[in-house]
Amino acid sequence: MRIFIINGPNLNMLGKRPESIYGKLTLEEINKGLSEKANELGFQAEFYQSNNEGELVEVIHKAHHEAKGIIVNLAAYSHYSIALRDAVEILSIPVIEVHLSNIYSREDFRHKSLISSLADGVICGFGPLGYRLALEAMKDIL
Ligand code: DQA
């Protein structure tokens, strides 16, 4: 069962972003662990990351045709991209939104995500564990 794990802008720089907020691990390290976890759960995880809004729209369209569910951290775009919200709205598969940090304990502009009301569930504040929890939740949903 194919699950897309989609990360947005600047998440390719994990490991270099403020450690107190985002931790030490690189995206590659996080994804390696997730790939193993996904296999254990009977999923085939496919990882996408882009700093480009249009590319992320295309990946979400691809998920519409090919994936059984998506786990998304659209990073800063979560807070203001109507294009990405519209792309997610097309989907008829489960959507789980993840944020590494607790967006509600940070600046006001991070408190709103345009994706959340479309998602089956939202996980934030647990660092990389959030993606693992999202895989567990996806297993349950599917
Ligand atoms: C983030 C939170 C966003 O506000 C921020 O712009 C990010 C990462 C997170 O995972 O905590 O880049 O989505």
Side-chain angles (χ1 to χ4, degrees):
M1 217 183 289
R2 288 169 75 194
I3 302 296
F4 287 12
I5 300 179
I6 304 170
N7 282 291
N10 297 306
L11 292 170
N12 59 317
M13 298 302 276
L14 289 175
K16 297 194 169 59
R17 296 186 74 179
E19 197 183 309
S20 59
I21 302 173
Y22 297 111
K24 282 186 195 178
L25 296 183
T26 64
L27 188 60
E28 205 177 27
E29 287 165 340
I30 292 172
N31 287 349
K32 192 168 178 287
L34 284 178
S35 188
E36 287 160 15
K37 171 89 181 162
N39 290 342
E40 281 166 28
L41 293 171
F43 294 139
Q44 188 190 331
E46 293 178 33
F47 299 94
Y48 298 90
Q49 190 279 327
S50 177
N51 297 317
N52 183 300
E53 189 179 22
E55 272 177 27
L56 290 163
V57 168
E58 301 285 353
V59 172
I60 293 165
H61 291 175
K62 183 177 157 78
H64 175 67
H65 299 295
E66 300 178 19
K68 289 280 185 255
I70 61 169
I71 295 169
V72 285
N73 181 353
L74 295 173
Y77 284 140
S78 318
H79 308 304
Y80 69 94
S81 172
I82 296 170
L84 287 173
R85 181 189 157 85
D86 286 350
V88 170
E89 192 179 47
I90 295 165
L91 300 176
S92 49
I93 55 175
V95 175
I96 301 178
E97 180 181 15
V98 172
H99 296 281
L100 293 157
S101 62
N102 179 355
I103 55 174
Y104 302 103
S105 66
R106 300 184 64 195
E107 304 93 325
D108 287 355
F109 61 83
R110 296 186 202 274
H111 294 184
K112 175 89 187 157
S113 161
L114 300 187
I115 309 302
S116 298
S117 63
L118 298 172
D120 290 74
V122 182
I123 299 168
C124 77
F126 296 109
L129 172 64
Y131 294 100
R132 299 170 71 83
L133 295 172
L135 277 172
E136 295 272 5
M138 188 63 80
K139 176 76 182 175
D140 211 64
I141 294 169
L142 289 174

